[in-house]
Amino acid sequence: MGAIDGTHVSTNVPVEIQGKFRGRKEGTTENILATITFDLKFIYVLVGWEGSAHDLRVLDDALSRPSGLKIPEGI
């Protein structure tokens, strides 16, 4: 595992749920978590979290999923 990072991407969502997708950035955003190897290959991507979700909450979700993010022993 090389790096884990999150980012916000602009998104269009229905009016009735826009409040959850408003984060610190202007407009509605989706919180995305990605993991890459040392040779810059994506090994895990989690999309779909609303922009207002805290990064730790997104990471906890990635780690708790049955086929989610697995951190190698000793890292």
Side-chain angles (χ1 to χ4, degrees):
M1 181 178 304
I4 299 174
D5 198 10
T7 189
H8 287 259
V9 176
S10 294
T11 188
N12 292 316
V13 295
V15 174
E16 57 272 5
I17 61 170
Q18 282 184 357
K20 295 195 302 189
F21 284 81
R22 290 195 191 281
R24 295 170 288 149
K25 310 229 181 217
E26 188 173 314
T28 54
T29 63
E30 187 172 333
N31 199 336
I32 299 174
L33 175 115
T35 305
I36 60 169
T37 62
F38 286 109
D39 53 350
L40 304 179
K41 294 180 181 172
F42 284 92
I43 57 172
Y44 186 80
V45 177
L46 177 64
V47 300
W49 272 93
E50 60 268 13
S52 62
H54 192 278
D55 291 345
L56 184 57
R57 190 169 166 210
V58 178
L59 178 60
D60 283 342
D61 181 45
L63 293 170
S64 68
R65 291 173 178 242
S67 60
L69 178 63
K70 305 292 183 234
I71 298 178
E73 199 70 34
I75 300 282

